[in-house]
Amino acid sequence: MIQILGIVLLVGGLIAAIVGLQDSFGLRERAARLFLGRFTQRTLALLIGGITAAVVGLALLV
């Protein structure tokens, strides 16, 4: 059961990280970086949350 949860977290985390990475190259993000000097909260949440979920999922599989 824990391995299934690990697989789900790993796949979901990778998908969220990829979506966050794609979002970081969008026009809205470029404008936010130009005016604010940082990413938007949505992009940061996708990147950080996705990477964290993937790492936890990988740890559950080992």
Side-chain angles (χ1 to χ4, degrees):
M1 185 69 177
I2 291 192
Q3 289 180 337
I4 294 172
L5 179 63
I7 291 171
V8 169
L9 281 173
L10 180 63
V11 172
L14 287 175
I15 291 172
I18 289 171
V19 170
L21 188 63
Q22 287 179 340
D23 196 30
S24 69
F25 292 110
L27 182 61
R28 180 179 59 187
E29 286 300 317
R30 289 183 192 167
R33 278 184 291 186
L34 178 66
F35 293 114
L36 300 175
R38 59 182 170 86
F39 289 117
T40 60
Q41 286 184 337
R42 178 181 185 267
T43 302
L44 283 177
L46 282 170
L47 288 172
I48 294 171
I51 292 170
T52 303
V55 168
V56 170
L58 190 61
L60 289 175
L61 290 176
V62 174

